[in-house]
Amino acid sequence: MTNLQASGVSAGLEHTDLLAIFEKMLLARSLDERQWILNRQGKAPFVISCQGHEAAQVGSAFALTPGKDWVLPYYRDLGVVLTLGYTPTEVMLGLFARAGDPNSGGRQMPAHYGYRKLKIVSGSSPTGTQVPHAAGIGLAIKIHNELAGRIVDDAVAWVSFGEGTSSQGEVHEAMNLAGAHALPVIFVCENNGYAISVPQRQQMGVEDVADRAAGYGFPGVVVDGTDPVACFEATQAAVERARRGDGPTLLEFKCLRLTPHSSDDNDRTYRPSDELKAIKQHDPIDRFAAYLKAEDILTDAHERELRERIKHQVNEATAAAEAAPLPDPSTLLEHVFTSQARD
Amino acid sequence: MTNLQASGVSAGLEHTDLLAIFEKMLLARSLDERQWILNRQGKAPFVISCQGHEAAQVGSAFALTPGKDWVLPYYRDLGVVLTLGYTPTEVMLGLFARAGDPNSGGRQMPAHYGYRKLKIVSGSSPTGTQVPHAAGIGLAIKIHNELAGRIVDDAVAWVSFGEGTSSQGEVHEAMNLAGAHALPVIFVCENNGYAISVPQRQQMGVEDVADRAAGYGFPGVVVDGTDPVACFEATQAAVERARRGDGPTLLEFKCLRLTPHSSDDNDRTYRPSDELKAIKQHDPIDRFAAYLKAEDILTDAHERELRERIKHQVNEATAAAEAAPLPDPSTLLEHVFTSQARD
Amino acid sequence: MAELSLIEALRAGIDESMAADERVFVFGEDVGKRGGVFRVTEGLQAKYGPWRVIDSPLAEGVIVGACTGAAMSGMRPIAEIQFADFIWPAMNQIVSETARIAYRSNGDWNVPLVIRAPYGGGIHGALYHSQSVEAFFAHVPGLKVVVPATPYDVKGLIKSAIADPDPVMFFEHKKTYRLIKGEVPDGDYSVPIGKADIKREGDDLTVITYGLMLHYALEAAEQLAQTDGLNIEVLDLRTVRPLDTEMIFNSVRKTGKVLIVHEDNLTGGIGGELAALIAEHAFEYLDGPIMRLAGPDVPAMPFAATLEEAFMPSPERIAAKIRELAAY
Amino acid sequence: MAELSLIEALRAGIDESMAADERVFVFGEDVGKRGGVFRVTEGLQAKYGPWRVIDSPLAEGVIVGACTGAAMSGMRPIAEIQFADFIWPAMNQIVSETARIAYRSNGDWNVPLVIRAPYGGGIHGALYHSQSVEAFFAHVPGLKVVVPATPYDVKGLIKSAIADPDPVMFFEHKKTYRLIKGEVPDGDYSVPIGKADIKREGDDLTVITYGLMLHYALEAAEQLAQTDGLNIEVLDLRTVRPLDTEMIFNSVRKTGKVLIVHEDNLTGGIGGELAALIAEHAFEYLDGPIMRLAGPDVPAMPFAATLEEAFMPSPERIAAKIRELAAY
Ligand SMILES: Cc1ncc(C[n+]2csc(CCOP(=O)(O)OP(=O)(O)O)c2C)c(N)n1
Ligand SMILES: Cc1ncc(C[n+]2csc(CCOP(=O)(O)OP(=O)(O)O)c2C)c(N)n1
Ligand SMILES: [Mg+2]
Ligand SMILES: [Mg+2]
C-alpha cells in the first residue's frame, strides 16, 4: 500500500473517484455485515460474504463502463455489482428471496447476480461455469469486429472466480479459447487462499494462479487485492488492452477472506485462529481509510457522515426488501422457456 | 539431430539399445503401413496412424520399466505398446476386431489400447479422459508411499495425448492435481500441429504446450520428437524425478503427422500440399537410420535384414489375426459388470 | 422440389438460416475447411468466412459454454458436437447453464442456441461413435430435444431450432445422413418443434419411434402388411421433448396397442416416459401390454460387426415384436 | 443396536470399511478437516490421516477421473461430490470411463469405485443444491445406482457399495441426514444392492418410491389407514438400477394399482422406467392406470420458501393422489 498515492495519481483517479471507491467499499461491507445479522436473527437462511474482497471488487469494477461492458461476477462480488449499479434494496431483495429480486425473482440463492439492464450476466452456483460464457461473449465481440473489418464494438467481458475455482477444467478451456483468438476478456481471480476449507497448497502446486496466463499466451498480473487503486489500475490496463483488440489478461487479486466461507460454514474447524487475527490487520477498508486520511482526502468527520448515510441506506433497503412480497407459488412453472413467457 | 550421438552416449544407451529402438520404430511403421493397405483392400474399416510419431513413442517408452510402470497411451501410440510388449499379432487382432484382441475382444476401435498384464490401462475415444486416470494412479502410488512413510512403490504413471487434446479441461484438472501433490506422473504431449484439420494456432495462443507446466508447479520440456534418443533422455530424467518422489513432468514431443488423421480423413481439404512434402524430409525413421549408419551402428545389410524380418513378422501377424475368429454375438451382454463375470 | 439426402437438406437449412440472419454462426471442431467430419457444414466457411464458421479448440465444455455466452449476448450460435458420444464434457454447461438460464433469471435472459450432434450406430463406430443420448437431455427441463428422421423434417426443424429463442438439442442419426433421401421443397418452410408425425396410417397397432428406427419400423410395417395383412400405424416423434402427447394418445385410442422402438438402451430410454404417459392417460384404451424394443443394456455398441449387429434393432426384429403384440 | 441418524449410520459404514480395508480412501472437496460440508466424513481424517481422507481440488472431473484411475490400479476409492448438482463436470468420466471400462476391456479391467453425493431438496438449497439426479445415472449401463432412505439401509448399502467390484453411484437425500433416525445393528452387516424392500405391507394399492419420498409416502399411508381405511403397500426401491422387478411385479400382482412417487422431475424420471416395466410385464394385473406423482418439470427447485414448497411432493399431495387412484 506504500505506493498507493502514486498509483492513484498515475491511474488518473481524482479525489472524488477515490472517495467514490471508498464509499462503495463501505457500502458493500455494511450491507454484508447486516446480512450476517439478519442471518443470525433467522431472517435470511443464507449469506455469502465479500468481506476482505471489497478493494479488489470495487477498484476493479471502477475501471469498467457500466451498461457497455459485460460483467460476469461470482457470488462474492457484492462490491462489483454495487459499483455497477445495483441498489442496496435490490441486494436485499435477493437476500430475502423476494419476487422483486432482480437476479432471479427469488429463485436463486442470494448473491447469484444477474441483471440484463446492467449487462450483468446471470450466474449460478457451480463454480467456474461463467468463465466460458465470458469467453463466448468475447468471441461474439470479436466476430462483430471481424465481420466489420474494424473495431465496431469495443466492449470487454469481465469475469471473476476464486482461486479454488481455477482448478475447474472449464476455466482452462475458456482461457485457452480466449488466448487462441485474442478475445477481449478480463479474467479476474480473487485469491483468498481458501476454497471453503481447503487451503491453496492443497489445491495447486503454485503460489500464483496468474502464472497460468503464460500458458495461454497472454499476460498474468498479480495485484495486491487489498489496494483498490492497484486493482483499478491493473484492470484499466487490461481493459485498454482488450478494447484495442490485443486480447485477454488474467488478473489475480490477492484478497482476504475475513469471514467463514458462508453462513453454513464454521471456519474454526480448519482455520488456525491466529491466521484470522493476522489478516484482520490488513482489512482493506481500514487500510484505504487510513491512506485517504493520511493524504487528507478523507476527514474523520466525513467518514462518520459517510458511515451514517450508509447505515441509513442499509436500514431502508432492509426494511423495503423485508416488506416486499415473496414470489407467488403459482409462478413456479413460468419461464422454463422464453417463448412461453413472451408469446 | 546433430547432437544425437552425444545424447545417445550420455543417456547410457548401448548400441544394442539404439538398434532395439530402431527395430521397434521400423516395426511400428511397417505394421502401420500394412494397416492402410488392409484398409484400402476393404479388410479393415478403420486405421489411425503412428507415422511420424515413432521416434517419440519408442524412445520415450524405452525409458519405462514394462510391467512395473503404468502406461496410459492414446490411439497413436503403436510404437509405445510395441515397445512395452504387444506382439504384432495382438495389434492385428485389434485391427480386425477379433475375439482375441487383447484390448477389448473386438469391442473397441483399433488402437484403443489396454492390457492388464502389461499395466497398459484401457483407453477410450473421448480425448483426454486418460489423463485424470494417470493422476489417480499417481495418487494411489503416493498414498502407498505416504502410508508406509517411505518409498515402497516407485512406479510411475506415463500418459500421452495430442496437443489438440491439451485444450480439454480434464487435462488441466489432472495436471493441477499432480502438481499439487507432486505425483509420480509423466505427461506426454505428442504435438503434431493438428487436431484432425485444426492447426495449432487455431487451438491455442502459444507455441509450446510445455509452457503450461509452470502454471502447475512442475517442469515442462520441449523435445524434438523425431529424435528417439532425445525423447528417451527426457523421459528418463522425468522417470527418475518421479521415482524419487519429486513429482510430475510435462514432456512435449514435437512430432509430425505423416498421414491423414485417420482412414476416415482426407487431409488434402485442409493441409497445404507443400507442407506434407516438407515434413517428409524429417521422417524420424529415415533420420535415425541415417544417424545409425553415420555412426557405423547400422549397416545397409543389417537394415535390409531387419526390414525383411519385420516384413515377415507383419505378414505372419496379419495372417494369424485374419484367420482368428470374430467375437461370438452371444457374448454381447458379457462384462457389463465384473461381478457378473467373476462369480 | 428436389430430392436431397438428409445431410444435404440439413446443410441447406443451416445455409439459408445463415444467409437470412447475420447473428447465426457455427462453432465446433473441424467445421471450417474440413466442413465437419461428416461434411454437414461443407462449403459454409468458404461462403460465410472464417468468423461465421469457426473451428473450435478440442473442448466441448467451452464449445457449449462459449456459445451459451454468445447467445446471451445476442448471437444465434450453432454448436456442433462432433459425435454425440463426446457431448459429456459439455454436460455441466448444458444442464447447469444453457437449460436453466431463462428459468433462473426469471425470464431476464434467454439462450437461443442450437446444439447439433450426430448420434446412433450401425456404421462401425464402436463404443464411442455410436451412442444415442437423447434420453439424457429429454430429462432436462428447459431443453427441447429434436431427432428428425427425414430430409424434409431435418430442414424444417433445423430452421425452427435456429429461430427458437431457447436452447434446442438437435440430434441427427449419422447413418441416415446419406442413406435417407427425400423430397424437399425449395425455399423457406419450417416444421414446428414438438409436433409428431404419422408417417404411416394404420389401425391394428401403433409403433412409436424416431430417428433411424423410423425407417426400420416403416420397413417392418410394409412387410407385415404384405405377409400378415397387418395395418400398422407408424408414429414418428420427431421431437422427444416436449412429446406430442395429443397425437400419441389419439393413435393409441385408435389402435389399442403400442410398440415403442428406439436404438438407445432399453432401460431409462425415451420408451419409459412414453409408456408411463400412455399407461396413465390412455390406460382404458389399451388392448395389450405396452411393449418396447430397444438397444440392449450394454454400455455401448461394440465395433466387431458380429456384436454391432447383435446390438441393433432391425426391421426383422421389429416385425417379430409387432407380430407378438398383434397376437396378444 | 443403537438408534442412529442416517448420517451417523453412513459415517459408521464408511468408518468400518476403512478400518477393514486399507485400500479404501475418501477423495473430495472439504472431506478432510472440515469432514465434508454435511460432516459425513467428520473425524475420519483425524482417525485415518490425511492420505486416506484427502481434500481434492475443486474439480469434479478429476475427482472421479483420479478415483477411476486409482480404482483400476487396485484401490477402493470413495469419491465425494459435494452436492449431486455438481456432478456434471464428472459426467464425461462417469459415462465414458467409469461405467464402461469393464465392458470395453472385455473384463480385463474393473473399477471398484463408490461415488457418493447428497441430493434432493426441501432445505432451502435452491436451484443448485437441491437436484435429484438419479435418473440420469440409472440410464447408464455399467452403473449401479443406490438411493437408501433409512439408517439401516444406508449403512448396509454403503458397505455393499464399497465392497462391490464395480462402480456404484450412492445418492443420499440430504434432508434425511439428520431428520431420519432408526435402529442400526452394531457390527458388520450389509444390505444387497438391487433388492427393494416393502416398508409397509398392504393390499389396496402399491406406492413405489425411494429416498425422502419414502418417508412422506409412509406418512400418507398411515394417515389414509386411519381416515380412509385404505391399506397401502409402500415399496422402497433402495436401488434404482438394477430395479428389483421381482418384488415390484409381486406387489403389483397383489394390489393391482400403482402410484409411483419421486422428487425428481416427472418427465424422464425413474417413474417412466417403472411404469414401462409394469405396463409391459404386469399389464394383466393392473386394475387402474399407473400414476406418477413427481417434482414438476421446471429446471430445479427455487429458493424462495413459497416456490420450494410448491415444488415438493408432500405427504398431503401423496395422500390425495392415492385417494384418486384408489377410487378408480
Ligand atoms: C462445481 C461445484 N463444486 C463444488 C461447489 C461447492 N463450492 C461452492 S464455493 C466452493 C469453494 C470456492 O472456492 P474459491 O473458488 O476459492 O472461491 P472463494 O469462495 O474462496 O471466493 C465450493 C467447493 C460448487 N459450488 N460448484
Ligand atoms: C471428447 C472428444 N471430442 C472429439 C473427438 C474427435 N477427435 C478424435 S481425435 C481428434 C483430434 C485430436 O487431436 P490431437 O489431440 O492433437 O491428437 P492427434 O490426433 O493430432 O495425435 C478429435 C477432434 C474425440 N475423440 N473426443
Ligand atoms: Mg478462494
Ligand atoms: Mg495433434
Side-chain angles (χ1 to χ4, degrees):
Chain A
M1 197 71 113
T2 43
N3 64 347
L4 197 148
Q5 183 192 17
S7 36
V9 171
S10 73
L13 289 172
E14 308 287 334
H15 286 187
T16 47
D17 296 325
L18 296 173
L19 285 172
I21 289 173
F22 182 62
E23 182 170 348
K24 289 291 182 199
M25 287 171 63
L26 264 187
L27 177 60
R29 175 67 59 93
S30 291
L31 272 167
D32 196 291
E33 286 173 344
R34 179 64 55 87
Q35 296 187 17
W36 285 92
I37 292 168
L38 292 163
N39 176 258
R40 272 183 235 108
Q41 291 174 343
K43 290 182 175 175
F46 182 78
V47 176
I48 194 153
S49 253
C50 69
Q51 293 185 39
H53 290 235
E54 294 93 341
Q57 293 172 0
V58 177
S60 188
F62 212 79
L64 302 174
T65 305
K68 165 182 178 158
D69 294 318
W70 299 85
V71 179
L72 300 91
Y74 85 121
Y75 49 77
R76 289 210 191 285
D77 281 334
L78 179 54
V80 171
V81 301
L82 288 172
T83 305
L84 289 165
Y86 270 63
T87 67
T89 303
E90 287 170 337
V91 171
M92 286 306 196
L93 286 167
L95 181 76
F96 291 124
R98 293 313 198 239
D101 158 37
N103 305 311
S104 71
R107 289 175 171 196
Q108 291 220 66
M109 283 184 148
H112 284 54
Y113 302 110
Y115 209 158
R116 195 178 177 91
K117 84 168 188 200
L118 300 175
K119 282 195 177 169
I120 295 179
V121 178
S122 170
S124 63
S125 308
T127 55
T129 47
Q130 71 278 21
V131 192
H133 299 171
I137 294 172
L139 181 64
I141 295 169
K142 180 90 171 183
I143 292 172
H144 300 148
N145 293 333
E146 290 288 342
L147 293 184
R150 64 198 169 83
I151 294 187
V152 290
D153 181 354
D154 73 344
V156 306
W158 181 104
V159 62
S160 64
F161 49 89
E163 89 296 338
T165 298
S166 74
S167 300
Q168 289 285 7
E170 290 183 31
V171 175
H172 160 81
E173 296 185 4
M175 289 201 203
N176 179 55
L177 175 66
H181 295 296
L183 304 180
V185 185
I186 296 162
F187 298 98
V188 171
C189 180
E190 299 184 25
N191 184 344
N192 58 18
Y194 282 93
I196 306 188
S197 72
V198 184
Q200 186 178 339
R201 65 174 181 286
Q202 192 82 8
Q203 302 173 42
M204 65 188 77
V206 286
E207 282 281 311
D208 298 325
V209 174
D211 287 353
R212 303 237 168 105
Y216 304 115
F218 53 81
V221 187
V222 177
V223 189
D224 177 354
T226 66
D227 178 346
V229 177
C231 295
F232 169 81
E233 258 195 296
T235 308
Q236 198 183 43
V239 168
E240 279 165 11
R241 182 178 141 82
R243 295 211 201 285
R244 278 196 309 270
D246 289 348
T249 304
L250 170 57
L251 302 174
E252 178 178 11
F253 298 143
K254 302 286 194 184
C255 297
L256 311 171
R257 203 186 82 194
L258 295 173
T259 61
H261 173 72
S262 75
S263 55
D264 287 344
D265 186 28
N266 172 5
D267 59 354
R268 277 167 305 181
T269 58
Y270 56 82
R271 206 172 190 181
S273 60
D274 50 346
E275 181 185 299
L276 198 60
K277 249 179 255 155
I279 65 169
K280 285 219 163 122
Q281 302 306 311
H282 300 265
D283 186 320
I285 307 253
D286 299 342
R287 296 186 80 195
F288 198 42
Y291 160 78
L292 291 174
K293 286 178 192 169
E295 297 298 318
D296 287 334
I297 301 170
L298 181 73
T299 63
D300 284 348
H302 188 181
E303 185 184 2
R304 259 195 315 277
E305 185 261 321
L306 251 183
R307 286 190 186 266
E308 266 316 300
R309 174 146 41 94
I310 285 171
K311 189 174 164 190
H312 183 72
Q313 279 183 338
V314 173
N315 286 343
E316 301 252 289
T318 307
E322 226 182 325
L326 282 164
D328 190 308
S330 72
T331 62
L332 178 72
L333 304 182
E334 290 176 5
H335 302 300
V336 175
F337 294 111
T338 304
S339 35
Q340 163 193 311
R342 295 193 179 166
D343 60 31
Chain B
M1 196 70 113
T2 42
N3 64 346
L4 196 148
Q5 181 191 21
S7 39
V9 171
S10 73
L13 290 173
E14 307 287 332
H15 285 187
T16 48
D17 296 325
L18 295 173
L19 285 172
I21 289 172
F22 183 62
E23 182 169 349
K24 290 291 181 199
M25 287 171 62
L26 264 186
L27 177 60
R29 175 67 59 94
S30 291
L31 272 166
D32 196 292
E33 286 172 344
R34 180 64 56 88
Q35 296 187 17
W36 284 91
I37 293 168
L38 292 162
N39 175 260
R40 271 182 236 108
Q41 292 173 342
K43 291 183 175 177
F46 182 78
V47 176
I48 193 151
S49 252
C50 69
Q51 293 186 41
H53 290 235
E54 296 94 340
Q57 293 172 1
V58 178
S60 188
F62 212 78
L64 301 174
T65 307
K68 166 181 175 157
D69 295 318
W70 299 85
V71 179
L72 299 92
Y74 85 120
Y75 49 78
R76 292 213 188 282
D77 280 334
L78 179 55
V80 171
V81 301
L82 288 172
T83 305
L84 291 165
Y86 270 61
T87 67
T89 303
E90 288 171 337
V91 170
M92 287 303 197
L93 286 167
L95 182 75
F96 291 124
R98 293 314 198 238
D101 158 36
N103 306 312
S104 71
R107 289 174 171 196
Q108 292 220 67
M109 283 185 149
H112 284 53
Y113 302 109
Y115 210 158
R116 194 180 178 89
K117 83 168 191 202
L118 299 176
K119 283 197 175 167
I120 295 177
V121 178
S122 168
S124 61
S125 309
T127 54
T129 48
Q130 71 279 21
V131 192
H133 299 170
I137 293 172
L139 182 64
I141 294 169
K142 179 90 171 184
I143 292 172
H144 300 147
N145 293 334
E146 289 288 341
L147 294 183
R150 64 200 168 81
I151 294 186
V152 291
D153 181 354
D154 73 343
V156 307
W158 181 105
V159 62
S160 63
F161 49 90
E163 89 296 338
T165 298
S166 74
S167 300
Q168 290 284 6
E170 291 185 29
V171 174
H172 160 80
E173 296 185 4
M175 290 201 200
N176 179 55
L177 175 65
H181 295 297
L183 303 180
V185 185
I186 296 161
F187 298 98
V188 172
C189 180
E190 299 183 26
N191 184 345
N192 57 18
Y194 282 93
I196 307 186
S197 73
V198 184
Q200 185 178 338
R201 66 176 180 284
Q202 191 82 6
Q203 303 173 42
M204 64 188 79
V206 288
E207 280 282 312
D208 299 323
V209 174
D211 287 352
R212 304 236 167 107
Y216 304 115
F218 52 83
V221 187
V222 177
V223 189
D224 178 353
T226 66
D227 177 347
V229 178
C231 295
F232 169 81
E233 257 194 298
T235 308
Q236 199 183 42
V239 167
E240 279 166 11
R241 181 179 141 80
R243 296 212 201 285
R244 278 197 310 270
D246 288 347
T249 304
L250 170 57
L251 302 174
E252 179 178 9
F253 298 143
K254 302 286 193 185
C255 297
L256 311 170
R257 202 186 82 194
L258 295 173
T259 61
H261 172 72
S262 75
S263 55
D264 287 344
D265 185 30
N266 172 6
D267 59 354
R268 276 167 306 181
T269 58
Y270 56 83
R271 208 171 189 183
S273 59
D274 49 346
E275 180 185 299
L276 198 62
K277 248 179 255 155
I279 67 169
K280 286 218 162 118
Q281 303 307 311
H282 301 265
D283 187 320
I285 307 253
D286 298 343
R287 297 187 80 194
F288 198 41
Y291 160 77
L292 291 174
K293 286 177 190 166
E295 296 299 317
D296 286 335
I297 301 170
L298 182 73
T299 62
D300 284 347
H302 188 177
E303 185 184 1
R304 262 197 312 279
E305 185 260 321
L306 250 181
R307 287 187 184 267
E308 265 317 302
R309 174 146 41 92
I310 284 171
K311 189 174 168 189
H312 184 72
Q313 278 183 341
V314 173
N315 287 342
E316 300 252 288
T318 306
E322 226 181 326
L326 281 164
D328 190 308
S330 72
T331 62
L332 177 71
L333 304 182
E334 288 176 6
H335 303 300
V336 176
F337 295 110
T338 305
S339 36
Q340 164 193 311
R342 295 194 179 166
D343 59 29
Chain C
M1 277 293 217
E3 184 169 277
L4 299 182
S5 66
L6 191 134
I7 201 167
E8 288 165 341
L10 174 60
R11 189 185 302 128
I14 296 172
D15 192 349
E16 289 171 23
S17 295
M18 291 188 74
D21 185 347
E22 224 198 29
R23 299 170 304 172
V24 179
F25 72 96
V26 176
F27 191 52
E29 296 153 13
D30 304 290
V31 296
K33 278 195 189 154
R34 184 76 186 113
V37 296
F38 289 100
R39 331 308 302 268
V40 171
T41 56
E42 188 167 27
L44 296 181
Q45 191 182 65
K47 185 164 174 187
Y48 296 103
W51 288 99
R52 291 192 65 200
V53 182
I54 309 171
D55 281 328
S56 73
L58 176 36
E60 288 76 7
V62 80
I63 293 175
V64 173
C67 285
T68 298
M72 282 193 278
S73 83
M75 303 292 276
R76 299 259 163 184
I78 304 174
E80 176 173 306
I81 302 294
Q82 199 160 81
F83 287 82
D85 317 58
F86 302 144
I87 204 165
W88 308 120
M91 190 68 170
N92 190 36
Q93 279 292 329
I94 298 172
V95 173
S96 305
E97 300 295 320
T98 319
R100 54 171 80 170
I101 284 170
Y103 190 77
R104 80 173 180 220
S105 68
N106 209 23
D108 198 25
W109 295 88
N110 65 314
V111 184
L113 166 61
V114 179
I115 302 176
R116 286 186 43 243
Y119 81 100
I123 47 85
H124 303 307
L127 299 188
Y128 295 98
H129 301 77
S130 305
Q131 217 179 336
S132 298
V133 303
E134 62 279 6
F136 291 98
F137 299 99
H139 184 44
V140 180
L143 297 178
K144 297 168 188 172
V145 184
V146 178
V147 195
T150 68
Y152 178 88
D153 288 342
V154 85
K155 182 171 172 193
L157 279 161
I158 193 72
K159 295 194 123 186
S160 294
I162 296 171
D164 201 283
D166 290 305
V168 178
M169 307 297 300
F170 201 91
F171 295 118
E172 305 140 17
H173 197 294
K174 62 179 84 73
K175 189 165 179 160
T176 65
Y177 274 152
R178 291 177 171 79
L179 185 69
I180 304 300
K181 296 184 171 64
E183 292 294 318
V184 175
D186 301 323
D188 196 35
Y189 72 94
S190 67
V191 171
I193 294 172
K195 294 285 168 227
D197 189 38
I198 305 285
K199 286 282 173 10
R200 185 182 198 283
E201 296 221 32
D203 43 27
D204 286 332
L205 183 151
T206 304
V207 176
I208 304 178
T209 188
Y210 56 96
L212 178 66
M213 290 301 129
L214 169 71
H215 304 285
Y216 289 3
L218 288 170
E219 227 178 295
E222 286 310 321
Q223 189 213 305
L224 290 170
Q226 292 175 11
T227 55
D228 297 48
L230 283 171
N231 201 358
I232 306 299
E233 177 139 312
V234 180
L235 189 153
D236 177 7
L237 289 173
R238 300 200 293 195
T239 297
V240 299
R241 176 98 191 228
L243 287 166
D244 186 350
T245 47
E246 196 185 322
M247 192 176 286
I248 294 166
F249 296 156
N250 280 339
S251 182
V252 176
R253 279 187 207 112
K254 179 167 69 169
T255 66
K257 286 183 174 173
V258 185
L259 171 67
I260 301 161
V261 181
H262 55 67
E263 181 179 325
D264 190 10
N265 310 109
L266 178 75
T267 298
I270 296 290
E273 185 59 29
L274 284 165
L277 286 168
I278 296 164
E280 180 157 1
H281 302 293
F283 178 72
E284 51 264 68
Y285 300 94
L286 285 173
D287 295 331
I290 303 167
M291 289 192 174
R292 292 184 293 170
L293 178 67
D297 284 329
V298 301
M301 198 178 294
F303 185 59
T306 46
L307 297 173
E308 183 178 76
E309 204 208 293
F311 182 103
M312 280 297 267
S314 62
E316 295 69 38
R317 285 179 200 155
I318 296 171
K321 201 78 185 172
I322 292 175
R323 271 203 198 95
E324 182 190 335
L325 179 55
Y328 181 88
Chain D
M1 277 294 215
E3 185 169 277
L4 299 182
S5 65
L6 190 135
I7 202 167
E8 288 165 341
L10 174 60
R11 189 185 301 127
I14 295 172
D15 192 351
E16 288 171 24
S17 294
M18 292 189 73
D21 186 347
E22 223 198 30
R23 299 171 303 172
V24 179
F25 72 95
V26 176
F27 191 53
E29 296 153 12
D30 304 290
V31 297
K33 279 195 190 151
R34 185 75 186 112
V37 296
F38 289 101
R39 333 306 303 268
V40 170
T41 56
E42 188 167 27
L44 296 180
Q45 190 182 68
K47 185 165 174 184
Y48 296 105
W51 289 99
R52 290 193 66 203
V53 182
I54 308 172
D55 281 328
S56 73
L58 176 36
E60 288 75 10
V62 79
I63 292 176
V64 172
C67 284
T68 298
M72 282 193 277
S73 83
M75 304 292 276
R76 299 255 164 188
I78 305 174
E80 177 174 308
I81 302 295
Q82 199 160 80
F83 286 82
D85 316 60
F86 303 144
I87 204 164
W88 308 119
M91 190 68 170
N92 191 35
Q93 279 292 329
I94 298 172
V95 172
S96 304
E97 299 296 318
T98 320
R100 53 173 79 170
I101 285 170
Y103 190 77
R104 81 174 179 219
S105 68
N106 209 22
D108 198 25
W109 295 88
N110 64 315
V111 185
L113 167 59
V114 180
I115 302 176
R116 287 186 41 242
Y119 82 99
I123 47 85
H124 303 309
L127 300 188
Y128 294 98
H129 300 79
S130 305
Q131 216 179 335
S132 298
V133 303
E134 64 279 5
F136 291 97
F137 299 98
H139 184 45
V140 180
L143 296 180
K144 296 169 188 171
V145 183
V146 177
V147 195
T150 67
Y152 178 89
D153 288 343
V154 84
K155 184 173 170 192
L157 279 161
I158 193 73
K159 294 193 124 187
S160 294
I162 297 170
D164 201 282
D166 290 305
V168 179
M169 308 299 297
F170 201 92
F171 295 118
E172 306 140 16
H173 197 294
K174 61 180 83 74
K175 188 167 179 159
T176 66
Y177 273 151
R178 290 176 170 83
L179 184 70
I180 304 299
K181 297 185 171 63
E183 292 293 317
V184 175
D186 302 322
D188 197 35
Y189 71 95
S190 67
V191 171
I193 294 172
K195 293 287 168 226
D197 189 36
I198 305 284
K199 286 280 174 10
R200 184 181 198 285
E201 297 221 34
D203 43 29
D204 287 331
L205 183 152
T206 303
V207 176
I208 304 180
T209 188
Y210 55 94
L212 177 67
M213 290 301 128
L214 169 70
H215 303 287
Y216 288 4
L218 287 169
E219 228 179 293
E222 286 310 322
Q223 191 212 305
L224 290 171
Q226 292 175 12
T227 54
D228 298 49
L230 283 172
N231 202 0
I232 306 300
E233 178 139 310
V234 179
L235 189 152
D236 177 8
L237 290 172
R238 299 198 294 196
T239 298
V240 299
R241 177 97 190 230
L243 287 166
D244 186 350
T245 46
E246 197 186 320
M247 191 176 287
I248 293 166
F249 296 156
N250 280 338
S251 181
V252 176
R253 280 186 206 111
K254 182 167 71 168
T255 65
K257 287 184 174 172
V258 186
L259 171 66
I260 301 162
V261 180
H262 55 65
E263 182 180 324
D264 190 10
N265 310 109
L266 177 75
T267 299
I270 296 291
E273 185 59 30
L274 284 164
L277 287 167
I278 294 165
E280 179 155 4
H281 303 292
F283 177 72
E284 51 262 68
Y285 298 93
L286 284 174
D287 296 331
I290 303 170
M291 290 193 173
R292 290 183 294 169
L293 178 65
D297 284 330
V298 299
M301 198 179 293
F303 185 58
T306 46
L307 297 173
E308 184 179 76
E309 206 209 291
F311 183 102
M312 280 295 267
S314 64
E316 295 68 39
R317 285 177 200 158
I318 297 172
K321 200 82 184 171
I322 292 175
R323 270 203 197 96
E324 181 188 339
L325 180 55
Y328 180 90

